[in-house]
Structures are given as C-alpha cells and as structure tokens.
Amino acid sequence: MRTEIATLGEFGLIDRLTEGIKLENESSKYGVGDDAAVLSYPSEKQVLVTTDLLMEGVHFDLTYVPLKHLGYKAAVVNFSDIYAMNGTPRQLTLGVGVSSRFSVEMIEQLYEGVRFACKEYEVDLVGGDTSASINGLTLAVTAIGEVAKDKIVYRNGTQVNDLICVTGALGGAYMGLHLLEREKRALAGHPNPHPKFEGYEYILGRQLRPSARLDIIQELAKSDLVPTSMIDITDGLASEILHLCKDSNKGARVYLNRLPIAQETNRMAEELHADPVVAALNGGDDFELLFTVPLAKQEEIFALGIDVIGHITAPDTGVALVTPDDQLIPVQAPGWVAEKQESEANNEG
Ligand code: ADP
Ligand code: MG
C-alpha cells in the first residue's frame, strides 16, 4: 500500500504520525499541537540538550537499513548522549525532510521505530517539524533531559591514576556494517535479493538496533558512583579516549588485551581477514559508555561487571595502547591502526 504524502498534506501527515501520543514525564507539560512544546524542570536540575542531523547517503543507507530501525536508532543515539552526561532523557523532537520518493506508510514506519524507542526509554515525543525535500530523507533529532547539579559528568574531569572503564563489547556494530555492505555489493542489481544474515544476528543487532546504556546510569546511581569523566563511544574507542584525555589534559594507558570484544565480532573479523582490535578501536556506533573513576572505586566497578581497560596518566606521557608484550603504541588519531597495518603489509611486500 502506498499513499502519497501530497494526498494527506503536511498537517494530515503530522496528525497521522503523532496520533495517540501520551506524555509520561512530569517535566513534559505540553507536547505536539501548539507553536512550541512546554517543559518544566525543577530548579535543582540541570537541563541537557543534544541534537543530531542525519542525512540520507551520508549517515544512513536505506538500501539495507529498514526505516523502522533508522527511526529507532536515531532516537536511541540521542538518548545515549544524555546518558553520557550521567543524565536521563525526557523529551525528543524530530524534524523530517522528505522527498516524494517516500510514501505516508514509509514515514509511518520511521515513526514506529522512533515511538518504540521513546516507549522503551520512557521519553516523550513532544514536537518536530515536517518539510518537503528535493532529495531523500533528512532527520533532525533533539533529545532533552535532566541531571542533578552535583551528578553531572563532563569529559574533562578525569585525574591521574583514575581507572578507564568501558560498559560493553566493542567493534560489533562495525562488523555488522561490513556485513551489510558486503551483502549490498553481492546483491546489487538482483531483482529479488536474499541476503545471507543467518548466524550474524549479534553483529547486525549491534549495527541496526543499538542500545543506550540506561541500565548502567541507573546502576551507577544506585551504587552512588559518579564518574570523573564520561563519553559515549560513537566513533570508536581510540577517538573517544583522545577526547577525554585532551579535554582533561591527561595521558592514558589502555591495555589491548583487556578490550572487550565479542566472540561474534572475532568470528566476523576472521571471515573478512580483518583485525577485531581495529574494529574495537576505530569502528563506530557501539554506543557503550567510556568513563573514568578513582582507583579506590575498583571493587565497586568490578562488582557491576564493568571492564577496566586501563588507567589515566600524567599529560606528558601521552595517550598510548599497551600491547600484550608491553610495547607502547601512541594513539594519535582514528585510523592509525589501519595505516600502521597497511605500511607493515607494504614493507613485507
Ligand atoms: P509550525 O508552523 O509552528 O512549525 P507545525 O505546523 O510545523 O508548526 O507543527 C504543528 C505541531 O506539530 C507542533 O507542535 C510541532 O511540534 C508538531 N510537529 C510538526 N512536525 C512534526 C513531526 N515531524 N514530528 C512530531 N511533531 C511534529
Ligand atoms: Mg513546522
């Protein structure tokens, strides 16, 4: 079934997309329907705002990303940014620019994903904007949240000897992306493509249906643990550790053999003749949290089952990876490992 958006018009479409939304959060006073949403946060809270712009062909590829998954992920990655401040997301707004290639039903699928994510994370969809576009699909997503003033965590608070913690396995989403790209290439031009995805559920899930670590933020709060610095891992561990260290003016040692990498990620890497450690360091989209705590909190961190991958050092020692045979590899910029391997391969040849 394909209903042209023109038959509904802008207001008809907005009505369809936002039908039946109920506001669940205390701070959401008024949602969709007026010129602006109305929010009210208590004065002891800080309000957090984060936004993402997602362009078709740049940030997502609809040949292999279902619209429902795109909507879900677009919402969840914004929630992840609020969690990375040690906050709780409460509201979401969503702007969509949409070309005539898209039907009402397609945009409804997108919203099904967004609304599913909002339900799961208890966030209210309180507004947005809708426009025609010449080409493709554009999404502008904004999440708004809250955090107690003394619990807010920036990127810049880490101290020497702090432990570097990571909340889950890395590199899986990147391997999922590789699988999707491989099937896309293999099936290009096929009239009725049947990609081979059986057995790859884990890495595909990491790429298409990521989680934001609400559970960790809740557990840290329960244990009365406030990290000294925190960031969510969107562009790979290497890039994020550099952000933390640069903003905190510190160095770091990260032990390569401590990086959490799932079996499924290792298996896919082997199949592609790729290095899973490179995926963990430079692959994107894992949405785990990277944070630091004082050394004295070690027991509590282990009790939560969180991996400690290294520690913070003085600024003049630089940011470096420690290999299993105790060699130091400086972390300069994302991409360094791939370059290093290429040059090694060239030297061999
Ligand atoms: P305005 O002309 O002030 O931009 P609109 O007619 O675009 O207002 O929007 C009317 C209402 O519908 C507003 O509350 C707005 O937040 C909401 N809205 C518009 N587009 C969307 C959308 N894509 N998703 C959610 N809410 C939307
Ligand atoms: Mg508008």
Side-chain angles (χ1 to χ4, degrees), residues 104-151:
V104 171
E105 288 77 15
M106 290 164 86
I107 303 304
E108 279 181 325
Q109 279 174 40
L110 176 82
Y111 265 69
E112 213 180 300
V114 171
R115 290 178 63 164
F116 189 75
C118 284
K119 200 163 172 211
E120 204 170 58
Y121 290 85
E122 298 178 354
V123 173
D124 296 319
L125 182 60
V126 295
D129 200 23
T130 310
S131 170
S133 98
I134 305 287
N135 263 314
L137 181 66
T138 299
L139 304 177
V141 194
T142 299
I144 300 154
E146 65 182 49
V147 58
K149 281 179 182 159
D150 57 340
K151 296 288 192 294

mmCIF file of all heavy atoms in Angstrom, residues 104-151:
data_model
loop_
_atom_site.group_PDB
_atom_site.id
_atom_site.type_symbol
_atom_site.label_atom_id
_atom_site.label_comp_id
_atom_site.label_asym_id
_atom_site.label_seq_id
_atom_site.Cartn_x
_atom_site.Cartn_y
_atom_site.Cartn_z
ATOM 1 N N VAL A 104 3.421 7.878 2.709
ATOM 2 C CA VAL A 104 2.958 8.036 4.084
ATOM 3 C C VAL A 104 3.329 6.799 4.906
ATOM 4 O O VAL A 104 3.827 6.905 6.032
ATOM 5 C CB VAL A 104 1.424 8.256 4.114
ATOM 6 C CG1 VAL A 104 0.899 8.206 5.539
ATOM 7 C CG2 VAL A 104 1.070 9.578 3.452
ATOM 8 N N GLU A 105 3.140 5.621 4.312
ATOM 9 C CA GLU A 105 3.418 4.378 5.048
ATOM 10 C C GLU A 105 4.895 4.268 5.428
ATOM 11 O O GLU A 105 5.234 3.772 6.506
ATOM 12 C CB GLU A 105 3.012 3.158 4.208
ATOM 13 C CG GLU A 105 1.508 2.965 4.080
ATOM 14 C CD GLU A 105 0.857 3.933 3.081
ATOM 15 O OE1 GLU A 105 1.594 4.558 2.279
ATOM 16 O OE2 GLU A 105 -0.379 4.071 3.106
ATOM 17 N N MET A 106 5.771 4.727 4.548
ATOM 18 C CA MET A 106 7.210 4.657 4.853
ATOM 19 C C MET A 106 7.549 5.552 6.044
ATOM 20 O O MET A 106 8.304 5.162 6.936
ATOM 21 C CB MET A 106 8.031 5.048 3.618
ATOM 22 C CG MET A 106 7.962 3.991 2.514
ATOM 23 S SD MET A 106 8.516 4.643 0.924
ATOM 24 C CE MET A 106 10.282 4.389 1.048
ATOM 25 N N ILE A 107 6.983 6.749 6.057
ATOM 26 C CA ILE A 107 7.280 7.666 7.164
ATOM 27 C C ILE A 107 6.633 7.145 8.455
ATOM 28 O O ILE A 107 7.176 7.320 9.551
ATOM 29 C CB ILE A 107 6.812 9.105 6.822
ATOM 30 C CG1 ILE A 107 7.484 9.569 5.513
ATOM 31 C CG2 ILE A 107 7.156 10.081 7.945
ATOM 32 C CD1 ILE A 107 9.008 9.493 5.538
ATOM 33 N N GLU A 108 5.508 6.465 8.306
ATOM 34 C CA GLU A 108 4.905 5.841 9.485
ATOM 35 C C GLU A 108 5.816 4.764 10.079
ATOM 36 O O GLU A 108 5.917 4.631 11.298
ATOM 37 C CB GLU A 108 3.539 5.238 9.131
ATOM 38 C CG GLU A 108 2.439 6.286 9.116
ATOM 39 C CD GLU A 108 1.071 5.707 8.802
ATOM 40 O OE1 GLU A 108 0.973 4.759 8.002
ATOM 41 O OE2 GLU A 108 0.092 6.202 9.371
ATOM 42 N N GLN A 109 6.479 4.022 9.197
ATOM 43 C CA GLN A 109 7.437 3.015 9.701
ATOM 44 C C GLN A 109 8.571 3.672 10.475
ATOM 45 O O GLN A 109 8.979 3.199 11.531
ATOM 46 C CB GLN A 109 8.041 2.242 8.538
ATOM 47 C CG GLN A 109 7.168 1.126 8.019
ATOM 48 C CD GLN A 109 7.792 0.508 6.779
ATOM 49 O OE1 GLN A 109 9.009 0.337 6.711
ATOM 50 N NE2 GLN A 109 6.968 0.205 5.803
ATOM 51 N N LEU A 110 9.074 4.768 9.908
ATOM 52 C CA LEU A 110 10.135 5.522 10.589
ATOM 53 C C LEU A 110 9.669 5.913 11.995
ATOM 54 O O LEU A 110 10.389 5.731 12.986
ATOM 55 C CB LEU A 110 10.468 6.762 9.768
ATOM 56 C CG LEU A 110 11.484 7.721 10.357
ATOM 57 C CD1 LEU A 110 12.893 7.214 10.079
ATOM 58 C CD2 LEU A 110 11.319 9.116 9.783
ATOM 59 N N TYR A 111 8.453 6.427 12.066
ATOM 60 C CA TYR A 111 7.912 6.888 13.355
ATOM 61 C C TYR A 111 7.609 5.735 14.301
ATOM 62 O O TYR A 111 7.675 5.892 15.515
ATOM 63 C CB TYR A 111 6.661 7.757 13.134
ATOM 64 C CG TYR A 111 7.051 9.210 13.103
ATOM 65 C CD1 TYR A 111 7.783 9.708 12.038
ATOM 66 C CD2 TYR A 111 6.774 10.066 14.167
ATOM 67 C CE1 TYR A 111 8.201 11.017 12.017
ATOM 68 C CE2 TYR A 111 7.189 11.386 14.158
ATOM 69 C CZ TYR A 111 7.895 11.851 13.085
ATOM 70 O OH TYR A 111 8.334 13.150 13.082
ATOM 71 N N GLU A 112 7.277 4.573 13.728
ATOM 72 C CA GLU A 112 7.066 3.406 14.578
ATOM 73 C C GLU A 112 8.349 3.110 15.369
ATOM 74 O O GLU A 112 8.305 2.855 16.567
ATOM 75 C CB GLU A 112 6.707 2.210 13.698
ATOM 76 C CG GLU A 112 5.743 1.239 14.335
ATOM 77 C CD GLU A 112 5.460 0.099 13.364
ATOM 78 O OE1 GLU A 112 4.957 0.369 12.264
ATOM 79 O OE2 GLU A 112 5.788 -1.041 13.722
ATOM 80 N N GLY A 113 9.481 3.194 14.665
ATOM 81 C CA GLY A 113 10.767 2.969 15.325
ATOM 82 C C GLY A 113 11.061 4.035 16.373
ATOM 83 O O GLY A 113 11.489 3.727 17.491
ATOM 84 N N VAL A 114 10.818 5.298 16.028
ATOM 85 C CA VAL A 114 11.061 6.404 16.961
ATOM 86 C C VAL A 114 10.180 6.228 18.199
ATOM 87 O O VAL A 114 10.645 6.335 19.341
ATOM 88 C CB VAL A 114 10.759 7.767 16.293
ATOM 89 C CG1 VAL A 114 10.805 8.894 17.314
ATOM 90 C CG2 VAL A 114 11.736 8.031 15.156
ATOM 91 N N ARG A 115 8.914 5.943 17.955
ATOM 92 C CA ARG A 115 7.983 5.858 19.087
ATOM 93 C C ARG A 115 8.254 4.628 19.941
ATOM 94 O O ARG A 115 8.076 4.658 21.162
ATOM 95 C CB ARG A 115 6.543 5.911 18.567
ATOM 96 C CG ARG A 115 6.233 7.312 18.031
ATOM 97 C CD ARG A 115 4.859 7.450 17.461
ATOM 98 N NE ARG A 115 3.815 7.231 18.453
ATOM 99 C CZ ARG A 115 2.544 7.586 18.276
ATOM 100 N NH1 ARG A 115 2.183 8.187 17.157
ATOM 101 N NH2 ARG A 115 1.659 7.347 19.210
ATOM 102 N N PHE A 116 8.731 3.563 19.311
ATOM 103 C CA PHE A 116 9.110 2.365 20.072
ATOM 104 C C PHE A 116 10.286 2.687 21.000
ATOM 105 O O PHE A 116 10.283 2.328 22.188
ATOM 106 C CB PHE A 116 9.465 1.236 19.107
ATOM 107 C CG PHE A 116 9.646 -0.073 19.779
ATOM 108 C CD1 PHE A 116 8.551 -0.798 20.236
ATOM 109 C CD2 PHE A 116 10.919 -0.602 19.987
ATOM 110 C CE1 PHE A 116 8.712 -2.017 20.882
ATOM 111 C CE2 PHE A 116 11.088 -1.823 20.632
ATOM 112 C CZ PHE A 116 9.985 -2.531 21.074
ATOM 113 N N ALA A 117 11.278 3.403 20.465
ATOM 114 C CA ALA A 117 12.441 3.791 21.286
ATOM 115 C C ALA A 117 11.988 4.693 22.436
ATOM 116 O O ALA A 117 12.437 4.542 23.582
ATOM 117 C CB ALA A 117 13.482 4.505 20.432
ATOM 118 N N CYS A 118 11.096 5.630 22.145
ATOM 119 C CA CYS A 118 10.613 6.554 23.180
ATOM 120 C C CYS A 118 9.900 5.777 24.286
ATOM 121 O O CYS A 118 10.076 6.070 25.472
ATOM 122 C CB CYS A 118 9.661 7.582 22.575
ATOM 123 S SG CYS A 118 10.528 8.865 21.657
ATOM 124 N N LYS A 119 9.131 4.786 23.904
ATOM 125 C CA LYS A 119 8.416 3.985 24.894
ATOM 126 C C LYS A 119 9.408 3.216 25.770
ATOM 127 O O LYS A 119 9.325 3.225 27.000
ATOM 128 C CB LYS A 119 7.489 3.019 24.157
ATOM 129 C CG LYS A 119 6.404 2.496 25.021
ATOM 130 C CD LYS A 119 5.292 1.887 24.206
ATOM 131 C CE LYS A 119 4.351 1.220 25.194
ATOM 132 N NZ LYS A 119 3.689 0.062 24.646
ATOM 133 N N GLU A 120 10.358 2.581 25.098
ATOM 134 C CA GLU A 120 11.328 1.759 25.812
ATOM 135 C C GLU A 120 12.147 2.569 26.813
ATOM 136 O O GLU A 120 12.446 2.101 27.908
ATOM 137 C CB GLU A 120 12.257 1.123 24.774
ATOM 138 C CG GLU A 120 12.908 -0.129 25.240
ATOM 139 C CD GLU A 120 13.613 -0.846 24.087
ATOM 140 O OE1 GLU A 120 14.499 -0.262 23.442
ATOM 141 O OE2 GLU A 120 13.269 -1.990 23.841
ATOM 142 N N TYR A 121 12.515 3.794 26.431
ATOM 143 C CA TYR A 121 13.376 4.614 27.293
ATOM 144 C C TYR A 121 12.577 5.673 28.066
ATOM 145 O O TYR A 121 13.157 6.551 28.699
ATOM 146 C CB TYR A 121 14.486 5.274 26.456
ATOM 147 C CG TYR A 121 15.507 4.271 25.970
ATOM 148 C CD1 TYR A 121 15.304 3.542 24.810
ATOM 149 C CD2 TYR A 121 16.671 4.013 26.706
ATOM 150 C CE1 TYR A 121 16.226 2.601 24.368
ATOM 151 C CE2 TYR A 121 17.597 3.087 26.281
ATOM 152 C CZ TYR A 121 17.369 2.375 25.113
ATOM 153 O OH TYR A 121 18.287 1.447 24.686
ATOM 154 N N GLU A 122 11.255 5.584 27.987
ATOM 155 C CA GLU A 122 10.359 6.490 28.717
ATOM 156 C C GLU A 122 10.639 7.958 28.421
ATOM 157 O O GLU A 122 10.846 8.783 29.319
ATOM 158 C CB GLU A 122 10.434 6.196 30.220
ATOM 159 C CG GLU A 122 9.972 4.780 30.521
ATOM 160 C CD GLU A 122 10.061 4.388 31.991
ATOM 161 O OE1 GLU A 122 10.598 5.179 32.795
ATOM 162 O OE2 GLU A 122 9.598 3.296 32.316
ATOM 163 N N VAL A 123 10.691 8.249 27.124
ATOM 164 C CA VAL A 123 10.916 9.613 26.651
ATOM 165 C C VAL A 123 9.667 10.063 25.892
ATOM 166 O O VAL A 123 9.042 9.266 25.193
ATOM 167 C CB VAL A 123 12.155 9.654 25.718
ATOM 168 C CG1 VAL A 123 12.316 11.016 25.063
ATOM 169 C CG2 VAL A 123 13.419 9.277 26.496
ATOM 170 N N ASP A 124 9.275 11.328 26.037
ATOM 171 C CA ASP A 124 8.093 11.850 25.344
ATOM 172 C C ASP A 124 8.487 12.514 24.025
ATOM 173 O O ASP A 124 9.367 13.376 24.013
ATOM 174 C CB ASP A 124 7.388 12.896 26.223
ATOM 175 C CG ASP A 124 6.837 12.285 27.503
ATOM 176 O OD1 ASP A 124 6.291 11.161 27.432
ATOM 177 O OD2 ASP A 124 6.959 12.927 28.572
ATOM 178 N N LEU A 125 7.797 12.139 22.950
ATOM 179 C CA LEU A 125 7.954 12.841 21.679
ATOM 180 C C LEU A 125 7.073 14.090 21.752
ATOM 181 O O LEU A 125 5.852 13.985 21.779
ATOM 182 C CB LEU A 125 7.514 11.926 20.528
ATOM 183 C CG LEU A 125 7.643 12.478 19.113
ATOM 184 C CD1 LEU A 125 9.091 12.832 18.776
ATOM 185 C CD2 LEU A 125 7.115 11.478 18.092
ATOM 186 N N VAL A 126 7.686 15.263 21.871
ATOM 187 C CA VAL A 126 6.905 16.484 22.158
ATOM 188 C C VAL A 126 6.820 17.460 20.986
ATOM 189 O O VAL A 126 6.225 18.523 21.127
ATOM 190 C CB VAL A 126 7.454 17.241 23.391
ATOM 191 C CG1 VAL A 126 7.293 16.412 24.661
ATOM 192 C CG2 VAL A 126 8.908 17.658 23.175
ATOM 193 N N GLY A 127 7.410 17.117 19.840
ATOM 194 C CA GLY A 127 7.299 18.051 18.725
ATOM 195 C C GLY A 127 8.257 17.724 17.611
ATOM 196 O O GLY A 127 8.941 16.700 17.634
ATOM 197 N N GLY A 128 8.270 18.620 16.634
ATOM 198 C CA GLY A 128 9.147 18.421 15.493
ATOM 199 C C GLY A 128 8.782 19.371 14.382
ATOM 200 O O GLY A 128 8.103 20.374 14.606
ATOM 201 N N ASP A 129 9.262 19.057 13.202
ATOM 202 C CA ASP A 129 8.895 19.858 12.043
ATOM 203 C C ASP A 129 8.870 18.935 10.835
ATOM 204 O O ASP A 129 9.550 17.907 10.822
ATOM 205 C CB ASP A 129 9.901 21.000 11.860
ATOM 206 C CG ASP A 129 9.328 22.119 11.007
ATOM 207 O OD1 ASP A 129 8.084 22.231 10.937
ATOM 208 O OD2 ASP A 129 10.114 22.865 10.416
ATOM 209 N N THR A 130 8.084 19.292 9.858
ATOM 210 C CA THR A 130 7.917 18.438 8.690
ATOM 211 C C THR A 130 8.034 19.296 7.448
ATOM 212 O O THR A 130 7.387 20.340 7.353
ATOM 213 C CB THR A 130 6.514 17.779 8.721
ATOM 214 O OG1 THR A 130 6.318 17.195 9.998
ATOM 215 C CG2 THR A 130 6.391 16.713 7.652
ATOM 216 N N SER A 131 8.856 18.865 6.506
ATOM 217 C CA SER A 131 9.038 19.644 5.286
ATOM 218 C C SER A 131 9.254 18.725 4.092
ATOM 219 O O SER A 131 9.782 17.613 4.238
ATOM 220 C CB SER A 131 10.257 20.553 5.448
ATOM 221 O OG SER A 131 10.582 21.142 4.211
ATOM 222 N N ALA A 132 8.865 19.201 2.936
ATOM 223 C CA ALA A 132 9.228 18.512 1.701
ATOM 224 C C ALA A 132 10.719 18.722 1.456
ATOM 225 O O ALA A 132 11.282 19.732 1.890
ATOM 226 C CB ALA A 132 8.422 19.085 0.545
ATOM 227 N N SER A 133 11.362 17.755 0.814
ATOM 228 C CA SER A 133 12.756 17.946 0.430
ATOM 229 C C SER A 133 12.905 17.552 -1.037
ATOM 230 O O SER A 133 12.106 16.792 -1.572
ATOM 231 C CB SER A 133 13.679 17.134 1.337
ATOM 232 O OG SER A 133 14.039 15.919 0.741
ATOM 233 N N ILE A 134 13.928 18.100 -1.691
ATOM 234 C CA ILE A 134 14.149 17.783 -3.105
ATOM 235 C C ILE A 134 14.656 16.358 -3.234
ATOM 236 O O ILE A 134 14.235 15.609 -4.102
ATOM 237 C CB ILE A 134 15.207 18.747 -3.704
ATOM 238 C CG1 ILE A 134 14.819 20.200 -3.486
ATOM 239 C CG2 ILE A 134 15.451 18.440 -5.175
ATOM 240 C CD1 ILE A 134 13.690 20.708 -4.334
ATOM 241 N N ASN A 135 15.576 16.016 -2.333
ATOM 242 C CA ASN A 135 16.271 14.739 -2.439
ATOM 243 C C ASN A 135 16.285 13.989 -1.130
ATOM 244 O O ASN A 135 16.774 14.496 -0.135
ATOM 245 C CB ASN A 135 17.731 14.988 -2.826
ATOM 246 C CG ASN A 135 17.935 14.822 -4.309
ATOM 247 O OD1 ASN A 135 17.444 13.844 -4.882
ATOM 248 N ND2 ASN A 135 18.607 15.775 -4.910
ATOM 249 N N GLY A 136 15.760 12.797 -1.102
ATOM 250 C CA GLY A 136 15.967 11.884 0.009
ATOM 251 C C GLY A 136 15.367 12.326 1.324
ATOM 252 O O GLY A 136 14.474 13.174 1.391
ATOM 253 N N LEU A 137 15.905 11.710 2.371
ATOM 254 C CA LEU A 137 15.364 11.854 3.712
ATOM 255 C C LEU A 137 16.398 12.531 4.615
ATOM 256 O O LEU A 137 17.574 12.171 4.588
ATOM 257 C CB LEU A 137 15.035 10.455 4.252
ATOM 258 C CG LEU A 137 14.418 10.330 5.634
ATOM 259 C CD1 LEU A 137 13.021 10.936 5.664
ATOM 260 C CD2 LEU A 137 14.346 8.857 6.041
ATOM 261 N N THR A 138 15.945 13.507 5.384
ATOM 262 C CA THR A 138 16.803 14.156 6.379
ATOM 263 C C THR A 138 16.086 14.124 7.717
ATOM 264 O O THR A 138 14.883 14.377 7.780
ATOM 265 C CB THR A 138 17.053 15.636 5.997
ATOM 266 O OG1 THR A 138 17.709 15.668 4.738
ATOM 267 C CG2 THR A 138 17.929 16.329 7.033
ATOM 268 N N LEU A 139 16.826 13.798 8.768
ATOM 269 C CA LEU A 139 16.243 13.777 10.113
ATOM 270 C C LEU A 139 17.033 14.714 11.011
ATOM 271 O O LEU A 139 18.264 14.695 10.997
ATOM 272 C CB LEU A 139 16.322 12.367 10.724
ATOM 273 C CG LEU A 139 15.691 11.221 9.942
ATOM 274 C CD1 LEU A 139 15.928 9.908 10.658
ATOM 275 C CD2 LEU A 139 14.198 11.475 9.764
ATOM 276 N N ALA A 140 16.328 15.529 11.782
ATOM 277 C CA ALA A 140 16.966 16.357 12.808
ATOM 278 C C ALA A 140 16.365 15.945 14.144
ATOM 279 O O ALA A 140 15.163 16.104 14.362
ATOM 280 C CB ALA A 140 16.718 17.830 12.537
ATOM 281 N N VAL A 141 17.190 15.357 14.984
ATOM 282 C CA VAL A 141 16.704 14.775 16.229
ATOM 283 C C VAL A 141 17.283 15.549 17.401
ATOM 284 O O VAL A 141 18.495 15.771 17.460
ATOM 285 C CB VAL A 141 17.145 13.297 16.356
ATOM 286 C CG1 VAL A 141 16.382 12.595 17.456
ATOM 287 C CG2 VAL A 141 16.968 12.568 15.043
ATOM 288 N N THR A 142 16.433 15.943 18.329
ATOM 289 C CA THR A 142 16.898 16.631 19.533
ATOM 290 C C THR A 142 16.357 15.917 20.759
ATOM 291 O O THR A 142 15.157 15.650 20.837
ATOM 292 C CB THR A 142 16.434 18.104 19.539
ATOM 293 O OG1 THR A 142 16.980 18.760 18.403
ATOM 294 C CG2 THR A 142 16.893 18.817 20.817
ATOM 295 N N ALA A 143 17.238 15.583 21.680
ATOM 296 C CA ALA A 143 16.807 14.999 22.954
ATOM 297 C C ALA A 143 17.064 16.007 24.062
ATOM 298 O O ALA A 143 18.058 16.745 24.032
ATOM 299 C CB ALA A 143 17.560 13.703 23.250
ATOM 300 N N ILE A 144 16.138 16.052 25.004
ATOM 301 C CA ILE A 144 16.247 16.940 26.160
ATOM 302 C C ILE A 144 16.155 16.072 27.398
ATOM 303 O O ILE A 144 15.349 15.134 27.446
ATOM 304 C CB ILE A 144 15.094 17.976 26.129
ATOM 305 C CG1 ILE A 144 15.190 18.805 24.833
ATOM 306 C CG2 ILE A 144 15.134 18.891 27.357
ATOM 307 C CD1 ILE A 144 13.881 19.363 24.383
ATOM 308 N N GLY A 145 17.000 16.362 28.388
ATOM 309 C CA GLY A 145 16.993 15.538 29.586
ATOM 310 C C GLY A 145 17.395 16.322 30.809
ATOM 311 O O GLY A 145 17.538 17.545 30.761
ATOM 312 N N GLU A 146 17.589 15.598 31.900
ATOM 313 C CA GLU A 146 17.900 16.272 33.160
ATOM 314 C C GLU A 146 18.969 15.515 33.936
ATOM 315 O O GLU A 146 19.160 14.318 33.740
ATOM 316 C CB GLU A 146 16.634 16.366 34.016
ATOM 317 C CG GLU A 146 16.115 14.999 34.441
ATOM 318 C CD GLU A 146 14.825 15.091 35.259
ATOM 319 O OE1 GLU A 146 13.910 15.794 34.827
ATOM 320 O OE2 GLU A 146 14.764 14.449 36.312
ATOM 321 N N VAL A 147 19.631 16.259 34.812
ATOM 322 C CA VAL A 147 20.624 15.651 35.696
ATOM 323 C C VAL A 147 20.725 16.537 36.938
ATOM 324 O O VAL A 147 20.606 17.761 36.842
ATOM 325 C CB VAL A 147 21.981 15.494 34.958
ATOM 326 C CG1 VAL A 147 22.501 16.824 34.442
ATOM 327 C CG2 VAL A 147 23.029 14.821 35.842
ATOM 328 N N ALA A 148 20.901 15.916 38.105
ATOM 329 C CA ALA A 148 21.115 16.695 39.326
ATOM 330 C C ALA A 148 22.424 17.462 39.188
ATOM 331 O O ALA A 148 23.383 16.959 38.606
ATOM 332 C CB ALA A 148 21.154 15.775 40.537
ATOM 333 N N LYS A 149 22.452 18.687 39.731
ATOM 334 C CA LYS A 149 23.615 19.556 39.519
ATOM 335 C C LYS A 149 24.930 18.913 39.978
ATOM 336 O O LYS A 149 25.963 19.087 39.342
ATOM 337 C CB LYS A 149 23.418 20.888 40.246
ATOM 338 C CG LYS A 149 22.503 21.801 39.449
ATOM 339 C CD LYS A 149 22.251 23.126 40.139
ATOM 340 C CE LYS A 149 21.275 23.937 39.277
ATOM 341 N NZ LYS A 149 20.583 24.981 40.008
ATOM 342 N N ASP A 150 24.883 18.167 41.067
ATOM 343 C CA ASP A 150 26.133 17.585 41.586
ATOM 344 C C ASP A 150 26.429 16.214 40.981
ATOM 345 O O ASP A 150 27.372 15.549 41.386
ATOM 346 C CB ASP A 150 26.070 17.491 43.117
ATOM 347 C CG ASP A 150 24.882 16.673 43.581
ATOM 348 O OD1 ASP A 150 23.922 16.507 42.797
ATOM 349 O OD2 ASP A 150 24.913 16.186 44.724
ATOM 350 N N LYS A 151 25.624 15.777 40.011
ATOM 351 C CA LYS A 151 25.852 14.461 39.406
ATOM 352 C C LYS A 151 26.264 14.554 37.937
ATOM 353 O O LYS A 151 26.523 13.545 37.293
ATOM 354 C CB LYS A 151 24.567 13.616 39.487
ATOM 355 C CG LYS A 151 24.108 13.281 40.907
ATOM 356 C CD LYS A 151 25.029 12.252 41.530
ATOM 357 C CE LYS A 151 24.497 11.648 42.812
ATOM 358 N NZ LYS A 151 24.387 12.572 43.930
#
